Amino acid sequence: MERKWGILLALPAMIGLVMFTVVPVIASFFFSITDWRIGNEMTVIGFDNYKTILTNDPTFTKSLYVTTYYSLFSVPICLAIAFMIAFLLNQKVRGLSVFRTIFYLPTIVPSIASTMLWLWLFNPDFGLLNSILESLGLPESRWIYDEATAIPSIVLMSTWSVGNTVIIFLAGLQAVPAHLYEAVEVDGGSAWRKFYHITIPSMTPTIFFNLVMMIIGSFQAFNQAYVMTQGGPNNSTLFYVYYLFRTAFTETKIGYASALAWILFVIVMTLTFIIFQTSKKWVHYEGSNK
Amino acid sequence: MSDVSVIVRSKRQVTALGFIKKPARLVTYFILIIGSLLMIMPLVWLLRSSLMDNAQIFIFPPQWIPDPFQWSNYPEALTTVPFGTYFLNTMTIEVFVLAGVLVTSVITAYSLARLRWAGRNVVFAGVLGSMMLPSAVTIIPLFILWRELNALDSLLPLIVPAWFGGGAYIGQGAFQIFLLRQFFMSIPKELDEAAYMDGGTPLTVLWRVVIPLSTPALIVVGIFTFIDVWNNFLEPVLYLNSEENFTLALGLATFKGLYNAQWGYLMAASMAMVAPIILLFFIGQRYFIEGITLTGIKG
């Protein structure tokens, strides 16, 4: 009976998994070895798309560079800021729930609304950011409208919505066993020793989880380019997924875009694999290393 | 461990956790307050801009309090393009997706968590895998699929997957199934046995035992799904062409193209989209925190 019901109840999801994940993944790979454009005949051309992308597509190189730059820049900063906020919130502060609400609030703002808002904050002439810079006597910036500052600006914007990460860190910090801190206290250890020898090692699984999620997320940045910059200026914010989207749905080069998608897939998988491998060296799971 | 020692330990825990000493405590509050102000400032800026006319918006240095309050921004911004239609479309999607997600993620999670059958581990692995899969890989074939089914420019591509464990957008359904599965596994199995003794089927157990004990988790799933539908942008951009089918998110993006420098209108329209979510957040706050913690830590 369990078997019958088990299969029956999981059936919709199994159909969904096949229809909306497995078949599309296979189809995507098949498209990637064709020269298909919507409206044209489809010819299988082997790995030509991949060859072109990897050897002769400056836009691909640029978008990969932009995305990597964004990822390398935003992930550590967001991770560090979120950790710091969570750490401070964990110091038995009064009004914890008020602070927690405030730090989480930006995260629930719909991304389309927050890109709209930041577009206005970045406005070089009347935006909030430049008026703050000016009131501090600092030189103004062109923010997302300047090639050099466009990505850093988008990183700044991403630090605004680290709420999820903060909450996950906070929960992790609250779960650090108190007796570990006591042990350091008994030995006369300083606050710094507690932080370095207890907090950080106990938090490595949580840091690891957030790190993986953030890297995967950062490689899929799209809205900022679509709504704010259209990839500009001079392709400085041409995020990978935005390039892929444009290739597939503006230029209707389905085959070529599918190959782009598979390259992204391989990159994300490789990164995840590498992080998982190195994690054995720095992630301490409770029970395994005590 | 005896009860007494548990109490002693939990008391100690309270002293041990906050290990930063007094002077540092002031610094802690200082950083938290500055941080909070920085976090809240863009939202205040959004609100104040939404209540200003162009003359006030383009004053330098900027003012924080609108004078006078330009309330008319709201009706004007929300009627120049059919936001009412966008709202109805979004709510239609909300209703069907919420129903679909709640039904399919509950039965799937229940099957994966509490019923033994060959192949369930394969299905669970598939669910987890689809969570890691970049949506960029599936989005092109899905577009082609809906195109072949003649369903482009309708709400179907945004609704149907939810009824097959697909959630509010690509990859999101897996997250809901995963969350519920974790929750269902924590319910004691003995409760099932009792229901089976009375001649119940797995469906009775689900309905009489599991669902009543899982209300918080279901609310979490409901809230997150609602927000994901509300915020979803990529798929409406992909599937919807004509204005009468637009969602709020898509409508807002289009509105931006039409009223490029009308920041008062743009901010009023954005605020109108943010406000319901903030309201929902304040109503369901503890479920938010629980939900993120549940998936984050056990993940």
Side-chain angles (χ1 to χ4, degrees), chain A residues 70 74-75 78 118 153-162 224:
Chain A
Y70 172 69
S74 76
V75 171
C78 289
W118 279 85
S153 303
I154 294 176
V155 171
L156 176 69
M157 177 182 155
S158 68
T159 60
W160 191 51
S161 33
V162 290
Q224 300 94 324

Side-chain angles (χ1 to χ4, degrees), chain B residues 44 47 241 255 257 278 283:
Chain B
V44 177
L47 183 62
N241 300 317
F255 186 65
I278 290 187
I283 296 170

Side-chain angles (χ1 to χ4, degrees), chain A residues 25-79:
Chain A
V25 167
I26 297 167
S28 165
F29 184 71
F30 174 69
F31 293 154
S32 80
I33 54 166
T34 71
D35 65 349
W36 192 31
R37 301 182 64 150
I38 291 184
N40 288 18
E41 289 287 302
M42 188 194 293
T43 324
V44 176
I45 54 169
F47 287 89
D48 283 8
N49 285 330
Y50 292 90
K51 260 181 232 154
T52 314
I53 291 169
L54 294 173
T55 58
N56 195 20
D57 182 354
T59 322
F60 159 79
T61 321
K62 178 74 184 182
S63 70
L64 187 58
Y65 167 78
V66 165
T67 312
T68 312
Y69 174 40
Y70 172 69
S71 184
L72 285 177
F73 200 157
S74 76
V75 171
I77 288 184
C78 289
L79 212 55

Side-chain angles (χ1 to χ4, degrees), chain A residues 2 6 24 38 91 94 99 101 104 108 110 116 120-121 126 134 160 167 171 182 194 220 222 227 249, chain B residues 12 19 25 29 36 39 45 49 57-58 60 111 116 141 231 238 252 256 277 281 285 289 292-293:
Chain A
E2 272 194 31
I38 291 184
Q91 301 308 314
R94 270 169 219 270
F99 282 121
T101 303
Y104 189 67
I108 56 158
M116 210 75 92
W120 174 219
L121 295 172
F126 302 98
E134 177 152 318
W160 191 51
I167 303 237
E182 285 162 19
K194 282 188 199 169
Q220 300 190 63
F222 171 79
V227 181
F249 303 111
Chain B
R12 270 207 201 148
F19 60 68
R25 186 146 287 261
Y29 279 108
S36 304
M39 286 283 163
W45 182 259
S49 307
I57 272 187
F58 297 131
F60 204 89
S111 167
R116 273 180 308 258
N231 297 359
L238 194 61
L252 187 56
K256 180 214 147 209
I277 294 292
F281 173 67
Q285 212 188 125
I289 309 295
I292 303 157
T293 312

Side-chain angles (χ1 to χ4, degrees), chain B residues 223-243:
Chain B
I223 290 180
F224 278 110
T225 305
F226 184 89
I227 291 183
D228 286 332
V229 171
W230 191 266
N231 297 359
N232 191 7
F233 183 62
L234 181 66
E235 281 149 302
V237 165
L238 194 61
Y239 296 128
L240 306 176
N241 300 317
S242 45
E243 202 174 49

Side-chain angles (χ1 to χ4, degrees), chain A residues 232-268:
Chain A
N234 194 18
N235 286 345
S236 59
T237 59
L238 189 80
F239 288 117
Y240 196 95
V241 174
Y242 181 65
Y243 174 50
L244 186 152
F245 187 90
R246 235 172 45 181
T247 312
F249 303 111
T250 313
E251 301 171 35
T252 69
K253 290 156 79 176
I254 299 294
Y256 197 80
S258 299
L260 283 172
W262 271 84
I263 291 174
L264 177 69
F265 186 28
V266 170
I267 292 173
V268 171

Side-chain angles (χ1 to χ4, degrees), chain A residues 45-263:
Chain A
I45 54 169
F47 287 89
D48 283 8
N49 285 330
Y50 292 90
K51 260 181 232 154
T52 314
I53 291 169
L54 294 173
T55 58
N56 195 20
D57 182 354
T59 322
F60 159 79
T61 321
K62 178 74 184 182
S63 70
L64 187 58
Y65 167 78
V66 165
T67 312
T68 312
Y69 174 40
Y70 172 69
S71 184
L72 285 177
F73 200 157
S74 76
V75 171
I77 288 184
C78 289
L79 212 55
I81 288 179
F83 192 90
M84 191 188 80
I85 296 171
F87 181 76
L88 294 176
L89 287 179
N90 195 40
Q91 301 308 314
K92 285 199 300 165
V93 288
R94 270 169 219 270
L96 168 68
S97 62
V98 177
F99 282 121
R100 195 171 55 185
T101 303
I102 293 175
F103 284 109
Y104 189 67
L105 209 51
T107 309
I108 56 158
V109 172
S111 71
I112 177 71
S114 72
T115 41
M116 210 75 92
L117 168 60
W118 279 85
L119 202 57
W120 174 219
L121 295 172
F122 286 138
N123 187 292
D125 301 316
F126 302 98
L128 175 63
L129 295 176
N130 267 354
S131 48
I132 292 176
L133 287 184
E134 177 152 318
S135 67
L136 295 174
L138 295 167
E140 296 188 355
S141 167
R142 305 270 314 149
W143 302 106
I144 52 168
Y145 301 98
D146 184 312
E147 232 182 288
T149 52
I151 290 289
S153 303
I154 294 176
V155 171
L156 176 69
M157 177 182 155
S158 68
T159 60
W160 191 51
S161 33
V162 290
N164 274 330
T165 318
V166 170
I167 303 237
I168 295 172
F169 273 143
L170 185 57
L173 285 167
Q174 284 166 346
V176 175
H179 63 89
L180 296 180
Y181 289 130
E182 285 162 19
V184 179
E185 227 163 54
V186 169
D187 293 346
S190 63
W192 168 250
R193 284 187 83 82
K194 282 188 199 169
F195 180 74
Y196 190 75
H197 290 289
I198 307 297
T199 311
I200 294 283
S202 313
M203 285 297 287
T204 46
T206 317
I207 296 174
F208 174 65
F209 172 80
N210 281 330
L211 180 69
V212 172
M213 296 315 282
M214 274 187 166
I215 290 178
I216 294 178
S218 69
F219 265 80
Q220 300 190 63
F222 171 79
N223 286 5
Q224 300 94 324
Y226 186 89
V227 181
M228 297 172 92
T229 62
Q230 287 79 49
N234 194 18
N235 286 345
S236 59
T237 59
L238 189 80
F239 288 117
Y240 196 95
V241 174
Y242 181 65
Y243 174 50
L244 186 152
F245 187 90
R246 235 172 45 181
T247 312
F249 303 111
T250 313
E251 301 171 35
T252 69
K253 290 156 79 176
I254 299 294
Y256 197 80
S258 299
L260 283 172
W262 271 84
I263 291 174

